Amino acid sequence: MGETKHTGPVKLPRKPDPSLWVSKVPFGLGKVKPHHIRDTMKVVWENKDNLRFATRILTQGVCDGCALGVSGLKDQTLTGPHLCTTRLNVLRLNTMPAMEEKYVHADVADLRKMSSTELRQLGRIPYPLIRKPGEKKFSRISWDDALDKISDKMKVLDPKKFAFYTTSRGITNEVYYTLGKVSRFLGTNNVDNASRICHSPSKTALSRSIGVGASTCSYKDWIGTDVLVFWGSVAANNQPVSTKYMYAAKRKGTKIIIINPYHEPAMDNYWVPSIAESALFGTKIADDVYQVNIGGDIAFMHGIMKHWFTMEEMVHGSAIDHEFVSKHVNGLESLKEKVMAYEWDQLEKSSGLTKERMMELAELLAKSKSAVFVWSMGLTQHRFGTDNISQVANLALLRGFLGREHCGLMPIRGHSGVQGSGEMGADPFVLPGGGMDDANRSRVETIWGFEIPKWQGDIVGVSLENALLPDDHERKLELYYLSGGNFLETMPNPDFVKRCLENIDIRVHQDIIFNTSTLVDAKEAVIVLPAMTRYEQPGGGTSTSTERMVYFSPEIKGPRMEEARAEWEIYVDLAKRVKPDKKHLIDFKDPFEIREEIAKAAPNYDGIQHLQSRGDVFQWGGLWLCEGGICPTPDKKGNLITVEIPELRKPEGHFYVTSRRGKQFNSMIYHETDPFNDADRYDLLLNEKDAAALGIKEGDPVVAFNQYGTFHGRAKFVEIKTGNVEVHWPEGNALIPKGVYEKYAGIPEYNTAVILEKAETYFAHKDTKYAEKRVEELEMD
Ligand code: SF4
């Protein structure tokens, strides 16, 4: 943890710099790019029935979009306005009226014909609902009856047979903390959150490498660092205001390096709407782009390190920061041995990059005095995600890029609440203030006043699968309590997920809107509970940004859903009903009381108890974690971790597929077309050379298939590494295997091998079992 404190936002230079312009043609006319003014006007139109409330949310609230973090329109990095179309798109969730009765009580068969986007547009859930087997429609139920029904079930169930899950959609730290506590009070460790499917490997890897699972630096460190690396991250699309920080970095001479299979246009050139010269003429962002194979990152990083060790053999100190390593790092010799044992041709084959290209980046980093590594789902969503991230930490540790200005490791988050979810303990491996080890468990037990179950709780994917266990199995899932989330669209293999959801006795959806998962049947009942948004909750709430800023978001005056309740309060009410004799142990009267307790239970969050007004914020851990190279590990040193190059099962002639985000906020889709590349949601992105070999022309209907499923789309030619293809998420989820989890962090594998065909060939051969035979080939290989 660091002593140095953040000093607040800095100013951008006033004078323009034409050397960074994309073109002299104003507003990028004629180019494929987002139209921020048009999009903003569309949002104004959408919110026209509630414009004042919408304005108050934007100017007073903490953004419930991504975790870049902003309070009102001000952030902690740069002066000037901070607003993006992601936030504007999400805004409608907070301002829209209740669903009309005709939709609330419509035949679910009709509702099932709608997409999640259409369901979302119907409006907010107005009051508690229930639907039992054989019933075609949801019926209204009182809060008392709904919570009694859930608590009656919980009372008779072994706590291993129920589970909780929470998404990150606008959820506050207070809600996560209460959920983590309530689930343990009810006797279960089956509690998990949305970070399981995004950044859980980042937390796990950073904990083992440097002793703390969070971003070690602040966004300010981007501005003026020698090299800013985006690894498997399209921050310009998913955290749009980050482009303003990239612009500021470029103005200070920072080199920006992009590593991704697809040369993403959004990371190449961007028109930052809040910077006049950029809005007019655009800003060139990427200085260099390394198109790595899907899953080839570990080999790439081995290549970088191999060159460093070779440079060291020639000139001592030419690549490794020996002073830093000798004082602050363990494991140099074993890492060197592992890295040097790999041959260049193995590294080239796995990474898809030439030795020369790997050496190029190695030399750039070796010459640099500072670097920040930023990464996202491109590194985490693999069955070797934790190894991917430890490998990034290896690079930073060898070069001493840690715990000082302009240096650091940053898992950039896409959901406003997700950083806090694990830190608050809504996680089967974590309690507030640490893990589930005896010391932390007994410390938290003393604060909470009750025993915490000792058995290992299940991660979200396993809890879901537990629904299909035999009835007499001790972990057969019989009640699943979900706060938000849409597993049908976020987890691999939707057909399998549907079967799991249907096989649960009672499924609870605590949410603000319907989605496709809400409509799936359950064995005894589907219960829907209307939640408040973060802006409606009395006493406000806090959320933690990627750079560990804990922001206070006040309650905002405006219209309310009459029956919606604060999410933390619903959990407490339920817990008291299940264990009325112990209800004094779980009572909170308001969020101020929750914050008081968080400050004790999670010592890093000491300070949260003082947040109470609009704009209040503090950064836990200071400006840099591991300041001066001192890591919060038992021996205060960082650990170099040796990792293997993963075996990629992609037989010759087949493709590796991964998913990408278009104009969407996590699984919520806002436009059918991606404004950065004009791709439709069902476009399959592939390299023209690969297409030519298969006789596929741009726009041709194509089928990607494997032993898990089939994806029907259209070919779109883009600059993607040959042998790799991309489909949109969640549309492409049918291709992803179920039940394959990363072994340390439990994230599902979201990449796999596929066979690609022109649709006409695929259909022509389907009757002769041609497709099935080719899948057999794939399995054998
Ligand atoms: S970049 Fe992220 S935090 Fe900032 S306004 Fe957009 S969605 Fe909100």
Side-chain angles (χ1 to χ4, degrees):
M1 306 303 156
E3 301 270 298
T4 309
K5 299 281 176 244
H6 201 287
T7 49
V10 294
K11 283 191 181 149
L12 281 170
R14 281 174 176 251
K15 262 178 88 180
D17 178 356
S19 72
L20 296 178
W21 293 357
V22 175
S23 113
K24 287 190 180 141
V25 179
F27 301 111
L29 285 174
K31 293 196 184 293
V32 177
K33 65 177 272 297
H35 297 282
H36 293 112
I37 296 173
R38 191 190 64 193
D39 291 349
T40 306
M41 294 320 294
K42 192 170 153 261
V43 170
V44 172
W45 180 253
E46 259 174 22
N47 288 277
K48 62 184 182 306
D49 56 349
N50 239 330
L51 263 186
R52 288 201 175 157
F53 185 37
T55 310
R56 278 196 295 274
I57 289 172
L58 292 179
T59 53
Q60 299 172 19
V62 170
C63 177
D64 56 348
C66 84
L68 207 65
V70 58
S71 173
L73 299 171
K74 290 192 184 131
D75 64 38
Q76 299 297 307
T77 307
L78 290 173
T79 55
H82 174 136
L83 183 64
C84 78
T85 49
T86 301
R87 186 177 188 188
L88 290 171
N89 282 327
V90 178
L91 185 61
R92 189 59 182 154
L93 286 176
N94 300 293
T95 64
M96 63 189 177
M99 290 164 80
E100 290 177 48
E101 295 267 312
K102 66 177 181 193
Y103 295 121
V104 181
H105 303 291
D107 191 320
V108 283
D110 292 329
L111 292 173
R112 281 178 187 148
K113 290 178 193 151
M114 297 186 182
S115 65
S116 280
T117 306
E118 290 164 328
L119 290 168
R120 179 178 79 226
Q121 287 162 350
L122 295 180
R124 293 271 300 272
I125 299 165
Y127 39 73
L129 298 164
I130 188 165
R131 194 171 66 83
K132 296 187 191 147
E135 293 178 351
K136 288 185 171 169
K137 301 172 183 180
F138 279 106
S139 319
R140 188 168 186 165
I141 185 174
S142 70
W143 269 104
D144 271 340
D145 288 348
L147 291 179
D148 282 344
K149 192 157 178 56
I150 303 164
S151 67
D152 286 349
K153 182 80 177 177
M154 282 183 167
K155 281 181 199 165
V156 297
L157 282 182
D158 181 316
K160 286 184 179 147
K161 292 190 164 207
F162 57 82
F164 291 91
Y165 170 82
T166 176
T167 183
S168 302
R169 176 256 323 131
I171 307 268
T172 57
N173 288 326
E174 290 76 357
V175 173
Y176 289 127
Y177 180 81
T178 311
L179 174 60
K181 182 174 178 181
V182 160
S183 53
R184 274 58 182 238
F185 174 79
L186 296 176
T188 189
N189 282 323
N190 292 334
V191 53
D192 208 358
N193 65 76
S195 74
R196 184 71 46 215
I197 62 168
C198 62
H199 268 298
S200 54
S202 303
K203 184 173 174 152
T204 309
L206 290 179
S207 300
R208 73 180 185 178
S209 291
I210 57 166
V212 59
S215 170
T216 67
C217 59
S218 304
Y219 305 126
K220 267 178 113 166
D221 291 305
W222 295 12
I223 305 168
T225 184
D226 286 351
V227 188
L228 177 56
V229 182
F230 287 90
W231 210 309
S233 163
V234 190
N237 189 27
N238 300 310
Q239 293 88 6
V241 178
S242 65
T243 52
K244 197 171 164 186
Y245 308 161
M246 293 180 215
Y247 168 87
K250 302 278 301 184
R251 294 300 306 263
K252 289 265 185 183
T254 296
K255 270 198 176 356
I256 297 187
I257 304 295
I258 313 295
I259 302 166
N260 210 39
Y262 172 29
H263 188 140
E264 284 278 356
M267 295 299 281
D268 234 6
N269 300 317
Y270 201 91
W271 285 255
V272 186
S274 56
I275 300 172
E277 70 157 335
S278 181
L280 263 173
F281 304 114
T283 302
K284 289 186 234 158
I285 294 181
D287 287 278
D288 202 351
V289 179
Y290 288 83
Q291 290 186 255
V292 68
N293 273 334
I294 296 165
D297 307 280
I298 287 179
F300 185 12
M301 290 184 260
H302 273 318
I304 292 170
M305 290 189 284
K306 187 174 170 84
H307 189 52
W308 283 351
F309 289 125
T310 312
M311 287 166 73
E312 284 290 323
E313 279 164 16
M314 318 276 279
V315 183
H316 182 78
S318 56
I320 289 169
D321 182 340
H322 290 286
E323 195 189 336
F324 184 89
V325 171
S326 62
K327 274 199 207 149
H328 302 299
V329 179
N330 298 314
L332 178 64
E333 282 315 311
S334 44
L335 179 68
K336 183 176 172 186
E337 198 183 320
K338 165 65 79 190
V339 167
M340 296 310 277
Y342 283 111
E343 300 296 336
W344 278 110
D345 58 350
Q346 279 174 285
L347 302 178
E348 287 184 324
K349 184 163 183 268
S350 177
S351 68
L353 293 162
T354 61
K355 176 182 172 187
E356 290 67 35
R357 283 291 275 159
M358 290 189 256
M359 286 165 61
E360 223 175 285
L361 185 56
E363 280 170 25
L364 175 69
L365 291 169
K367 273 190 259 146
S368 302
K369 295 203 163 34
S370 56
V372 176
F373 296 93
V374 182
W375 67 88
S376 208
M377 261 74 299
L379 284 190
T380 60
Q381 286 187 332
H382 291 271
R383 67 191 142 81
F384 40 85
T386 299
D387 283 350
N388 267 344
I389 313 307
S390 277
Q391 188 79 322
V392 183
N394 286 343
L395 298 181
L397 286 169
L398 286 175
R399 290 287 306 127
F401 293 151
L402 188 71
R404 61 185 170 91
E405 193 177 24
H406 297 146
C407 291
L409 294 162
M410 180 177 281
I412 195 164
R413 312 267 182 164
H415 246 149
S416 59
V418 76
Q419 179 74 36
S421 55
E423 287 161 359
M424 294 295 104
D427 184 308
F429 305 108
V430 173
L431 287 169
M436 294 287 285
D437 52 280
D438 289 348
N440 197 45
R441 183 191 284 109
S442 86
R443 187 188 64 84
V444 178
E445 280 177 345
T446 309
I447 295 167
W448 286 354
F450 56 82
E451 267 189 37
I452 295 167
K454 291 195 170 57
W455 50 274
Q456 178 58 56
D458 284 324
I459 56 171
V460 49
V462 173
S463 282
L464 252 183
E465 288 174 22
N466 288 350
L468 297 180
L469 290 171
D471 286 346
D472 57 355
H473 193 287
E474 65 159 8
R475 294 218 182 193
K476 154 80 180 149
L477 187 73
E478 298 196 13
L479 188 153
Y480 210 172
Y481 194 115
L482 309 164
S483 302
N486 183 1
F487 294 151
L488 270 186
E489 296 185 12
T490 55
M491 298 299 281
N493 203 321
D495 291 342
F496 174 76
V497 170
K498 179 165 174 282
R499 274 200 291 132
C500 296
L501 292 174
E502 284 170 343
N503 218 41
I504 299 167
D505 290 355
I506 294 186
R507 233 179 42 244
V508 182
H509 293 266
Q510 179 172 298
D511 214 327
I512 58 174
I513 48 171
F514 278 2
N515 63 41
T516 47
S517 294
T518 328
L519 307 175
V520 174
D521 293 339
K523 280 163 72 183
E524 281 178 25
V526 178
I527 297 175
V528 180
L529 303 176
M532 284 179 167
T533 68
R534 65 164 54 174
Y535 308 114
E536 295 166 353
Q537 305 199 20
T542 61
S543 67
T544 309
S545 74
T546 291
E547 60 172 351
R548 298 170 277 104
M549 291 284 173
V550 186
Y551 285 99
F552 178 76
S553 192
E555 179 186 355
I556 292 173
K557 205 170 84 194
R560 295 289 184 265
M561 286 298 114
E562 213 174 299
E563 291 208 29
R565 294 176 68 184
E567 301 206 52
W568 63 265
E569 190 194 86
I570 307 171
Y571 298 137
V572 169
D573 190 345
L574 174 69
K576 287 187 193 166
R577 288 169 198 252
V578 181
K579 293 189 173 180
D581 51 324
K582 296 194 175 138
K583 63 181 186 186
H584 58 287
L585 295 173
I586 199 70
D587 209 9
F588 285 121
K589 70 171 188 296
D590 55 41
F592 297 99
E593 238 180 58
I594 304 175
R595 291 192 277 275
E596 287 284 347
E597 195 175 292
I598 293 174
K600 292 185 203 126
N604 283 338
Y605 276 74
D606 190 10
I608 195 173
Q609 69 276 35
H610 307 306
L611 306 181
Q612 48 190 330
S613 309
R614 167 183 166 187
D616 283 357
V617 59
F618 77 100
Q619 186 180 34
W620 76 253
L623 191 56
W624 308 300
L625 301 181
C626 310
E627 189 166 347
I630 317 279
C631 296
T633 49
D635 65 358
K636 309 260 180 282
K637 290 185 172 189
N639 299 308
L640 294 168
I641 309 259
T642 55
V643 299
E644 304 281 339
I645 292 182
E647 185 204 341
L648 298 173
R649 293 186 210 104
K650 183 178 84 66
E652 278 303 311
H654 296 138
F655 292 85
Y656 221 57
V657 63
T658 195
S659 61
R660 75 184 285 276
R661 310 320 186 241
K663 189 71 186 163
Q664 64 194 88
F665 174 61
N666 296 293
S667 64
M668 292 182 193
I669 292 148
Y670 281 98
H671 282 292
E672 290 302 311
T673 309
D674 183 336
F676 289 106
N677 64 358
D678 227 4
D680 178 83
R681 301 291 310 175
Y682 283 90
D683 277 343
L684 180 141
L685 310 187
L686 83 161
N687 190 295
E688 198 171 351
K689 283 189 201 140
D690 287 328
L694 296 170
I696 294 171
K697 296 197 195 63
E698 175 123 56
D700 274 356
V702 289
V703 181
F705 63 99
N706 58 19
Q707 55 271 57
Y708 315 114
T710 310
F711 173 86
H712 296 262
R714 267 177 307 276
K716 182 171 177 66
F717 297 166
V718 297
E719 249 186 276
I720 190 170
K721 180 90 200 156
T722 50
N724 299 267
V725 296
E726 292 195 4
V727 289
H728 284 102
W729 183 86
E731 287 84 348
N733 275 355
L735 296 170
I736 306 299
K738 69 175 166 61
V740 181
Y741 303 108
E742 198 269 348
K743 72 176 169 188
Y744 303 106
I747 195 168
E749 167 69 277
Y750 279 95
N751 312 278
T752 189
V754 289
I755 299 163
L756 191 60
E757 292 271 333
K758 274 172 97 160
E760 59 189 55
T761 345
Y762 178 81
F763 292 122
H765 290 91
K766 212 174 171 200
D767 291 344
T768 62
K769 300 219 174 285
Y770 167 81
E772 289 78 355
K773 267 194 81 178
R774 295 214 58 198
V775 166
E776 275 168 30
E777 262 170 45
L778 187 85
E779 281 170 334
M780 273 166 54
D781 284 320

